[in-house]
Amino acid sequence: MREHDVVIVGGGLAGCRAALEIKRTDPTLDVALIAKTHPIRSHSVAAQGGMAATLKNVDADDTWEAHAFDTVKGSDYLADQDAVEILTREAPDVVIDLEHMGVLFSRLPDGRIAQRAFGGHSHRRTCYAADKTGHAILHELVNNLRRNGVRIYEEWYVMQLILEDAQAKGVVMFNILDTNLEVLRAKAVMFATGGYGRAFNTTSNDYASTGDGLAMSAVAGVPLEDMEFVQFHPTGLYPVGVLISEAVRGEGAYLINSEGDRFMATYAPSKMELAPRDITSRAITREIRAGRGIHLDGSAGGPFVYLDLRHMGQEKIMSRVPFCWEEAHRLLGIDAVHQPMPVRPTIHYSMGGIPVNTDGRVRSGADGLVEGFFAAGEASCVSVHGANRLGSNSLLECVVYGKRTGAAIAQYIQNRKLPDINEQSYLNAAYSQITALFNQSGTIRIGQLRQAFQDCMTDYCGVFRSDELMREGLNQLQQLQQQYQQIYLDDKGNCWNTEITEALELRNLMLVGEIILTSALNRQESRGAHCREDYPERDDTNFLKHTLAYYSPAGIDLQYKPVSITLFEPKERKY
Ligand SMILES: Cc1cc2nc3c(=O)[nH]c(=O)nc-3n(C[C@H](O)[C@H](O)[C@H](O)COP(=O)(O)OP(=O)(O)OC[C@H]3O[C@@H](n4cnc5c(N)ncnc54)[C@H](O)[C@@H]3O)c2cc1C
């Protein structure tokens, strides 16, 4: 059995930042980081627009309180305000720390870090590296991991969290290269496994965003918090769904319907294109539904609207958002200097996740904690985003809470012993599970079932939801889950068998989908990204609370937990 003091699953911003903090706190600790991709291919690398922090380099009157207020208002008052206070107060320091590590941020003419406007933020506070911010940060973090002696297991797939007697003890994993199974035990286990965008058919997320960490935690008995809050990003490039960063609107681009109108004037007159994402996504969907969308031949009534950059001019486009220009050019042959881009909402971000306290310790319920188990980043829910995340607050969350969680882990494991694990029983169970998949003589291919599932989630749990729609979605999902027993693998070999990982990922995705739908069905109000046509108003009397969903094969049990309100009383949210 492999052993380390700490095992971190996830090589994105949150996992890497935590690993680094543990090594900085105590260089003698033995830290392992596992990722099913190479760490540098984690979805964090694709982050474009930037990271918010009140450095005051552009807007001198910005304050952490203003950042906190924008975040809480953006969250539709569901964010835990103690966690938001930490996020926004610590933001400037973590940005400076990244810069000292070597991250190359874009500059103002006087050499200070540049900052741009972003949706829902009242000041220009988003720090960026052109529109490749995640790339700049992740590369530097991974370099620092190597420098600090973190043991990296790259392209290993974690298939089970070992959680016994209310304590996390390790993981079961296999090397994707040869499907070799191993058990790894540790004094502390951290999940930083990212989101689940692949539960839907159109997403900005990478192929690895399959909610593995969420599903493994749920199966181990840990509740998942606020899973009904799924973020649509307003500007996914049509038809592929890849992201056109909000930075493009931050730099001045317009949203235009088939009549040539900047229709955001109807929905958010004071913020226009820089309204928060939930509001902008609904506005675009409403325009399309009302027949003011556009077809590829330019006629009205089609499935997308235009994102128009032309007035910004070539120099600004090429210096501030070159990657977005390149995406549209490479994927659609569109030159955004001269032509508008076709866009529509795309699944982007998971506001919910594994519930944690502000030290990254995983909660077992409204009050208790799970021993030895930590989480941070998109897989977790500390709840700084509540019902709707503001752009550029997620990279910030990964770094602030990755760092805090790393520091907390370094403390936690002092004077602790490695846990006892019955290695053989875990290996046997994992071996049986994989052999069963190999031997399954079904008729359905993995890709076929995944597509049907993704269509089901998109059709029945999208931008607009209702009781009737979601019940039908759950019905269909149950049938699809039964079909999982009938999938078959073409590849029965042990060498780089991607079908094995895809089969396990699909099982995880379906479980996460069931939790999203069930949590959404029970929230009978509209708040942030969760918009119910049958309950169009926010209902603070009954639903100003977090959902905790407990999974068991027999069904999902929903409980609720209060919101921490320390700074701002909830009021109506208008832009
Ligand atoms: C296109 C795009 C642009 C974005 N732009 C911005 C932006 O400008 N600003 C902003 O604030 N936010 C942005 N976001 C959101 C932000 O990038 C993510 O929320 C954040 O990077 C998530 O980081 P993470 O560390 O939590 O997880 P990720 O970076 O997703 O990493 C997850 C890690 O877990 C590993 N993993 C998962 N499952 C397993 C398993 N079973 N076994 C082993 N390893 C596993 C993966 O290999 C990976 O290393 C963007 C997101 C997208 C998709």
Side-chain angles (χ1 to χ4, degrees), residues 396-463:
L396 178 63
E397 180 198 1
C398 287
V399 180
V400 166
Y401 280 98
K403 177 179 176 214
R404 289 180 70 88
T405 305
I409 291 175
Q411 285 300 322
Y412 180 85
I413 63 175
Q414 298 298 327
N415 305 319
R416 278 183 199 262
K417 291 205 298 263
L418 281 166
D420 291 326
I421 291 180
N422 182 345
E423 182 190 15
Q424 202 53 48
S425 77
Y426 283 102
L427 285 177
N428 291 348
Y431 182 77
S432 313
Q433 198 186 342
I434 289 186
T435 321
L437 277 169
F438 275 141
N439 294 341
Q440 215 160 283
S441 58
T443 51
I444 302 173
R445 302 194 67 160
I446 300 171
Q448 209 181 331
L449 181 59
R450 185 174 52 220
Q451 185 67 51
F453 161 70
Q454 291 169 332
D455 291 345
C456 167
M457 289 302 293
T458 309
D459 291 348
Y460 298 104
C461 205
V463 174

Side-chain angles (χ1 to χ4, degrees), residues 34 186 209 228 247 267 279 367 388 432 486 509 515 561 569:
I34 311 173
S209 299
E228 58 273 41
Y267 302 94
I279 292 174
D367 301 317
N388 172 64
S432 313
Q486 289 151 35
L509 278 174
I515 296 177
K561 142 174 127 60
E569 276 307 311

Side-chain angles (χ1 to χ4, degrees), residues 196-200 203 205-210 450 453-454 509:
Y196 53 66
R198 291 281 151 189
F200 294 80
T203 177
N205 287 189
D206 77 354
Y207 287 95
S209 299
T210 54
R450 185 174 52 220
F453 161 70
Q454 291 169 332
L509 278 174

Side-chain angles (χ1 to χ4, degrees), residues 11 13-14 36-37 42-44 48-50 158 212 378 392 394-395:
L13 243 58
K36 65 179 177 179
T37 55
S42 303
H43 187 59
S44 295
Q48 301 178 350
V158 173
D212 297 343
E378 193 170 337
S392 72
S394 170
L395 294 182

Side-chain angles (χ1 to χ4, degrees), residues 115-273:
Q115 298 189 276
R116 60 165 50 125
F118 240 75
H121 290 279
S122 57
H123 293 73
R124 283 169 292 176
R125 61 167 76 101
T126 297
C127 312
Y128 57 94
D131 52 359
K132 303 173 186 176
T133 313
H135 188 273
I137 301 176
L138 191 62
H139 276 72
E140 222 40 74
L141 283 178
V142 173
N143 283 341
N144 275 280
L145 291 189
R146 297 200 188 280
R147 200 170 289 150
N148 283 276
V150 173
R151 167 77 161 94
I152 300 177
Y153 290 85
E154 62 197 36
E155 298 177 329
W156 283 70
Y157 185 86
V158 173
M159 59 185 285
Q160 189 184 354
L161 165 69
I162 299 179
L163 199 158
E164 296 168 345
D165 317 320
Q167 183 191 350
K169 298 182 172 177
V171 294
V172 183
M173 62 184 191
F174 60 85
N175 190 341
I176 301 176
L177 181 67
D178 55 14
T179 324
N180 193 22
L181 283 162
E182 302 247 7
V183 170
L184 191 158
R185 64 171 175 160
K187 297 170 188 169
V189 178
M190 174 179 171
F191 272 12
T193 46
Y196 53 66
R198 291 281 151 189
F200 294 80
N201 64 18
T202 309
T203 177
S204 66
N205 287 189
D206 77 354
Y207 287 95
S209 299
T210 54
D212 297 343
L214 302 169
M216 286 188 276
S217 304
V219 167
V222 176
L224 296 185
E225 182 171 344
D226 289 344
M227 291 293 285
E228 58 273 41
F229 298 103
V230 179
Q231 180 162 75
F232 285 81
H233 193 292
T235 57
L237 194 63
Y238 177 85
V240 277
V242 304
L243 189 73
I244 298 298
S245 173
E246 194 166 294
V248 175
R249 282 171 287 135
E251 298 290 355
Y254 299 151
L255 285 167
I256 307 278
N257 63 16
S258 63
E259 293 169 7
D261 290 334
R262 283 178 71 190
F263 56 86
M264 286 308 293
T266 319
Y267 302 94
S270 73
K271 286 274 179 192
M272 294 296 287
E273 281 84 359

